[in-house]
Amino acid sequence: MTNRTVNPQSLPKPSGYAHGILAGNTVYLGGQTALDKDMNIVPGGIVEQFRQAFSNVLTTLAEAGGQPQDLVSVTIYLTDVDDYMANGREIGRIWREMAGSEYPAMAGIGVTRLWQKEALIEIQGIAVIGNR
């Protein structure tokens, strides 16, 4: 089986990592922060950063030929778990808007900081394409 690197042109060009790897029908989605196409963390706090980071994940998944319902596992790294929880309803609404009402296996992990100092959230995942 040959692995295929998945790096959508609409996302920042990766250096030293891949946005995703397609191995068979499984897509390993690299951690995405709220970087926009100009390599800036979007302003607006955890809600807007969630929207951008999750959009980056879904963009990579789509480039690999997948859809949001193909997600089987998502891990969310947070610099402020309380802030995320306080905005949980809005974040859940954004999830449903972008991915529907089905949820994969998930984990939320509090961390002291992420690669970009301004980043409040990083999302990574695994998807199985055609697993419908």
Side-chain angles (χ1 to χ4, degrees):
M1 170 174 54
T2 303
N3 296 339
R4 179 172 66 100
T5 302
V6 181
N7 289 319
Q9 290 187 349
S10 61
L11 296 181
K13 184 178 179 182
S15 177
Y17 67 96
H19 289 296
I21 299 291
L22 179 61
N25 67 335
T26 302
V27 186
Y28 298 89
L29 299 155
Q32 293 288 334
T33 58
L35 282 176
D36 64 16
K37 62 181 170 66
D38 297 319
M39 295 288 291
N40 297 310
I41 296 291
V42 298
I46 190 64
V47 172
E48 287 309 311
Q49 285 200 23
F50 174 85
R51 181 187 303 277
Q52 182 67 47
F54 193 46
S55 175
N56 292 348
V57 168
L58 295 179
T59 295
T60 304
L61 178 57
E63 182 79 12
Q67 301 174 12
Q69 58 266 38
D70 295 325
L71 288 167
V72 296
S73 178
V74 169
T75 303
I76 301 173
Y77 301 92
L78 303 157
T79 61
D80 188 339
V81 174
D82 291 335
D83 187 29
Y84 183 89
M85 291 173 65
N87 289 282
R89 287 184 190 255
E90 181 66 11
I91 290 168
R93 185 191 65 73
I94 292 167
W95 178 286
R96 290 185 298 278
E97 171 188 305
M98 297 174 77
S101 60
E102 297 294 319
Y103 294 90
M106 296 181 78
I109 301 170
V111 297
T112 56
R113 74 162 275 201
L114 297 166
W115 192 258
Q116 299 92 12
K117 289 182 181 180
E118 306 85 10
L120 304 173
I121 188 169
E122 184 167 338
I123 303 172
Q124 74 179 79
I126 300 171
V128 178
I129 297 175
N131 195 29
R132 293 185 270 285

